[in-house]
Amino acid sequence: MADEIPVLTRSLTLGPLDAAERDLLARLPGLPGVTGQQGQGQDHGQDQGTTPDATVVLDGTTVRLGPAATEAVLALLGRLASGATVTVSEQDRWLNTSQAARLAGVSNTYLRQLADRGEIPVTYRGTHRRIHPDDVTAWVRRREEAPGTPT
């Protein structure tokens, strides 16, 4: 759905790092915006025609990140290394009533009635209803499982 509405749901602020941590990150090659000895002038390893690689080890588990995650991690580390404070946030998708009605296969009027009766949870942004897609699919599933309900 191209016209979904992103809504900030959670965030975490990191940094600024202390000088020792910034110096450590500045030595990593390929970080954007870092003016360290080895990291300076390199753009994610792209000057050499290579794809950047990021491997994360957490509590003994090693995971090699894919290209999109690698870019995000390198950008985050580059900003932290430059002394910036970084906020990482998660976005969740919310639908307006027309989008939710299409997803549920019902009319806009009927969906608004369902929301008004509390059968589908709704969040208001000003006077506008916003509905999470998971709540719509849960309602559809309940309706399909109800005895005597046509599917």
Side-chain angles (χ1 to χ4, degrees):
M1 290 179 207
D3 50 352
E4 290 178 349
I5 302 158
V7 177
L8 179 65
T9 57
R10 290 183 212 129
S11 66
L12 172 68
T13 300
L14 308 170
L17 301 179
D18 63 29
E21 290 172 310
R22 285 195 314 273
D23 289 344
L24 176 68
L25 288 176
R27 291 194 299 267
L28 294 174
L31 291 184
V34 178
T35 56
Q37 296 138 341
Q38 294 176 355
Q40 188 172 4
Q42 295 185 19
D43 184 20
H44 294 67
Q46 311 249 340
D47 293 340
Q48 296 84 16
T50 61
T51 303
D53 176 44
T55 302
V56 178
V57 180
L58 181 63
D59 292 332
T61 302
T62 303
V63 177
R64 183 174 181 190
L65 301 179
T70 295
E71 291 294 323
V73 168
L74 290 175
L76 172 69
L77 291 174
R79 287 182 176 94
L80 288 170
S82 68
T85 298
V86 176
T87 299
V88 179
S89 63
E90 174 184 326
Q91 288 187 337
D92 213 350
R93 299 287 179 192
W94 291 81
L95 308 173
N96 62 32
T97 54
S98 297
Q99 295 164 330
R102 279 195 307 270
L103 181 61
V106 298
S107 72
N108 294 350
T109 302
Y110 185 59
L111 187 112
R112 283 192 300 274
Q113 291 170 356
L114 291 171
D116 290 344
R117 290 193 307 254
E119 293 184 41
I120 294 181
V122 64
T123 299
Y124 284 89
R125 296 186 70 194
T127 59
H128 301 280
R129 294 175 183 94
R130 297 296 179 247
I131 302 167
H132 198 277
D134 291 345
D135 294 327
V136 176
T137 56
W139 176 83
V140 169
R141 196 170 28 256
R142 285 191 310 269
R143 181 176 153 199
E144 290 171 350
E145 292 171 354
T149 305
T151 54

